Amino acid sequence: MIPMAKPIIGEEEKKAVLEVLDSGIIAQGPRVKEFENGFAEMCGVKHAIATTSGTTALHLVLLAYDIGPGDEVITSPFTFIASANSILFVGAKPVFVDIDPKTFNMNVSQVEAAITSKTKAILPVQLYGLCCDMDEIMSLAKKHHLVVIEDACQAHGSEFKGKRAGSFGTGTFSLYPTKNMTSAEGGMITTDDDVVMEKCRVIRNHGMRRRYYHDELGYNFRMTDVHAAIGNAQLAKLGMFNNKRKENANFYDTHLKGVTTPFVPDGYTHVYHQYTIRVPEGKRDDLRAFLKENEIGSEIYYPVPIHKQGFYLEMFGDGKTYVEADFAASEVLSIPVHPSVSKEDLEKVASSINEFMAKG
């Protein structure tokens, strides 16, 4: 079976973990600080704050910006549900705008119309490893005095006009095992804002600035040195991992027929957390079944947009439609693109898709 994802854990990661276990400093310690410094440098920002997951990274940033009940945050309905759930965690309301059918990212031309007196932030999702139009988003945020919180959980190393994801507003990343790099589980916040950095660090650690003196309500969102040790080793390999993903994506771009391959606008660098094709309506599920028969993994990210999830229908069922998000959910299919995919695997995946699509 050619798997959809395969974390690459080498001797460097194993050695680093054993060194932490032998050191006796297992909770948040020097490895976490090293990881934060390295991640900040990778993104080109002043600060990085390690957390337990991409979801808690989003939660922390929203808290740090004092977003809460009565506030609205504009985001995409076509993403993993944590993007919107984190807004609910702080008592605010997610407000959706439809997606661009080519990039699958937020359609920035619809953002301004969604801004109200209650809007506090824009939360663009850099989906599949491709940045949004950050020039337009930052311009709108400046015009309307809004915060920008990047959900870059799938975009480690992605660039927009030479600037890294996570360096525009305040960035959030996931370090889940299937991501372009991992710490086994974890998240990261990136920012140039000293105040946001300080608040995130305090809230992350039970609201403490001094040990056992709790200045505000906080949480235990700390990363361990064990996780950070893995993250440090993975961060050193991120460039190599991303280059291999790009090579694999280029093979698909030049060999696949009968499907729509990913669109990458000029000035954008896609890091292909997922290589997501569009299959003509009505054929996607049959193609997926055919790939499974041929021992090829695939996945649908995402079969049900957030606005159609049962919980959200109950809370916000207002009859609004997001045509492109709904249509994408019926056509998208992600195929193996991770660095462990071999040339033979690529050829098998491409020939299988082409065989199926040629049947009409």
Side-chain angles (χ1 to χ4, degrees), residues 5-178:
K6 186 178 180 181
I8 302 173
I9 302 297
E11 292 304 314
E12 298 87 352
E13 288 85 351
K14 296 173 186 176
K15 181 174 181 248
V17 168
L18 289 175
E19 287 175 352
V20 169
L21 296 178
D22 288 340
S23 74
I25 305 174
I26 297 173
Q28 182 174 289
R31 301 309 197 286
V32 170
K33 187 61 178 174
E34 178 187 351
F35 189 26
E36 291 175 333
N37 290 342
F39 206 95
E41 182 178 355
M42 184 274 289
C43 289
V45 298
K46 288 169 60 178
H47 309 293
I49 304 97
T51 71
T52 53
S53 70
T55 305
T56 56
L58 283 162
H59 190 177
L60 263 177
V61 172
L62 288 158
L63 290 169
Y65 279 113
D66 295 319
I67 295 171
D71 296 330
E72 294 178 349
V73 178
I74 297 172
T75 192
S76 170
F78 192 65
T79 175
F80 184 56
I81 203 164
S83 305
N85 278 358
S86 60
I87 299 167
L88 296 182
F89 293 163
V90 299
K93 179 183 178 181
V95 174
F96 301 122
V97 297
D98 210 353
I99 62 169
D100 181 297
K102 286 187 175 181
T103 65
F104 303 112
N105 282 332
M106 178 187 290
N107 187 335
V108 294
S109 70
Q110 297 183 14
V111 172
E112 191 160 31
I115 296 172
T116 72
S117 60
K118 297 180 180 180
T119 306
K120 288 286 291 289
I122 305 172
L123 198 158
V125 181
Q126 324 286 37
L127 197 68
Y128 301 148
L130 181 70
C131 283
C132 297
D133 182 346
M134 295 308 299
D135 277 350
E136 184 63 21
I137 289 171
M138 296 305 292
S139 176
L140 285 170
K142 183 177 181 180
K143 178 180 177 182
H144 294 279
H145 309 289
L146 302 176
V147 170
V148 174
I149 299 169
E150 291 179 69
D151 182 338
C153 287
Q154 301 182 4
H156 313 64
S158 179
E159 295 182 1
F160 173 79
K161 296 184 178 180
K163 195 174 177 184
R164 286 276 169 92
S167 67
F168 294 91
T170 291
T172 59
F173 293 83
S174 167
L175 297 163
Y176 188 73
T178 60

